[in-house]
Amino acid sequence: MSTAVPQGRRPRHLTIGRIGVYVFLVTAALFFLLPLWIMVVTSLKPMDEIRLGNILALPAAMTMDAWTKAWSSACTGLECNGISVGFWNSVRILIPSVILSIIAGAINGYALSFWRVKGANVMFGILLLGAFIPYQVFLYPLVRIFSMTGIYNSLTCIVLVHVIFGLPTMTLLFRNYYAGLPIELFKAARIDGGGFWSIFFRVILPMSTPILVVATILQVTGIWNDFIFGLTFAGRENLPMTVQLNNIVNSTQGERAYNVDMAATMLAALVPLVVYFVSGRWFVRGIAAGAVKG
């Protein structure tokens, strides 16, 4: 009769270093989760309970009135239509900006990785250099340029701005990902008579799912959370949710409704949170598949 041999790693004893790691991780988690907890519980309390000052306590009388007011009737200046107007403006800005910036970045990365255009490295370096210059430096020149072209303070203007400023990061992601693909696939497609676009759509793009997910998450988060571009280029009719949130917080007359402010903040953060929770594992897979190679 054979004796069963234990398999697997032997349990490790707690050491000072391991305890220190656990303490750091718990502290870091509390650091980020505590503000979220305060926002959620405050948004569910009536103002009478908020005045008691127990910001960490669960609401004794839970109510969604603050969420309803923040969405539909909170004042964002002279108008009191809630933050829902900004939500739909953000959606109108987000969808074309994400699609166009990803398409442009994918094509640029593909061209720089496989076609070896003359001066490609110089062009790529200049493109990346622009990504490290503070956005504020470009604001006034862009305002003048868009004013002269007649598209300033419009949906087209803000979408174009997001595409332009997203191009360096998207190009870097796709170029590094494509640099990790076997060059033999490209050479075989060329031998079979494939051209620039046919190879891109039939060979390269079908293998780009991981990096497309990474690019989408980054662009959705960056564009949705943008404030300065929306304030400067969108125009009064297209102000995104972040600008409307600022207007709600700073347009209060009389008693400040902290529960409404917190509810509006949570509503503004829902889209990035949902994207991360739904696509988080795909984001990790995309990074592991080569998003930062090169």
Side-chain angles (χ1 to χ4, degrees):
M1 182 176 179
S2 59
T3 304
V5 178
Q7 297 181 353
R9 292 184 177 182
R10 297 178 62 183
R12 296 180 178 180
H13 298 287
L14 284 178
T15 62
I16 298 298
R18 185 172 294 273
I19 293 174
V21 171
Y22 288 148
V23 170
F24 172 78
L25 292 176
V26 171
T27 304
L30 290 175
F31 178 81
F32 289 104
L33 291 177
L34 188 59
L36 179 62
W37 171 262
I38 293 174
M39 286 192 295
V40 172
V41 297
T42 302
S43 68
L44 298 174
K45 294 177 181 178
M47 283 303 300
D48 292 338
E49 188 175 347
I50 293 175
R51 293 190 195 98
L52 298 177
N54 299 322
I55 62 174
L56 296 176
L58 285 169
M62 186 179 298
T63 175
M64 297 295 293
D65 291 345
W67 288 74
T68 303
K69 182 177 180 180
W71 178 257
S72 60
S73 61
C75 294
T76 58
L78 297 178
E79 300 179 352
C80 295
N81 298 320
I83 204 171
S84 59
V85 177
F87 174 84
W88 295 115
N89 286 343
S90 291
V91 171
R92 291 166 57 214
I93 294 170
L94 179 73
I95 294 176
S97 299
V98 170
I99 294 174
L100 293 176
S101 60
I102 290 177
I103 290 174
I107 295 173
N108 280 352
Y110 162 65
L112 292 172
S113 298
F114 293 107
W115 287 88
R116 308 298 182 187
V117 181
K118 186 177 181 180
N121 291 332
V122 176
M123 294 171 58
F124 183 61
I126 295 174
L127 190 64
L128 289 184
L129 180 63
F132 291 98
I133 300 177
Y135 292 162
Q136 292 83 352
V137 175
F138 297 101
L139 291 183
Y140 182 70
L142 286 176
V143 168
R144 297 295 300 164
I145 292 172
F146 289 136
S147 296
M148 289 187 292
T149 57
I151 64 172
Y152 181 62
N153 277 352
S154 66
L155 183 62
T156 302
C157 180
I158 183 62
V159 169
L160 187 58
V161 167
H162 282 306
V163 172
I164 292 172
F165 283 95
L167 196 56
T169 303
M170 293 297 101
T171 301
L172 175 64
L173 283 177
F174 282 97
R175 177 186 178 274
N176 289 346
Y177 179 79
Y178 292 150
L181 297 179
I183 191 65
E184 288 77 13
L185 292 174
F186 174 75
K187 291 180 178 179
R190 289 289 290 160
I191 292 173
D192 291 340
F196 183 92
W197 295 111
S198 61
I199 295 176
F200 177 70
F201 285 110
R202 296 181 181 180
V203 179
I204 303 300
L205 199 58
M207 296 188 296
S208 303
T209 301
I211 196 61
L212 286 172
V213 174
V214 173
T216 300
I217 293 174
L218 291 178
Q219 284 298 90
V220 167
T221 304
I223 294 172
W224 188 269
N225 291 334
D226 167 68
F227 175 82
I228 189 170
F229 289 152
L231 180 65
T232 307
F233 298 103
R236 295 184 62 182
E237 300 299 322
N238 304 297
L239 291 177
M241 204 172 189
T242 50
V243 178
Q244 298 282 28
L245 173 62
N246 177 74
N247 292 342
I248 288 176
V249 173
N250 293 309
S251 298
T252 303
Q253 296 179 354
E255 182 185 41
R256 182 173 295 277
Y258 293 106
N259 51 358
V260 176
D261 293 347
M262 296 299 182
T265 303
M266 292 300 301
L267 287 169
L270 279 181
V271 169
L273 287 175
V274 170
V275 169
Y276 272 119
F277 282 128
V278 172
S279 307
R281 63 190 183 97
W282 292 101
F283 182 82
V284 175
R285 288 182 183 180
I287 293 294
V292 292
K293 287 182 180 179

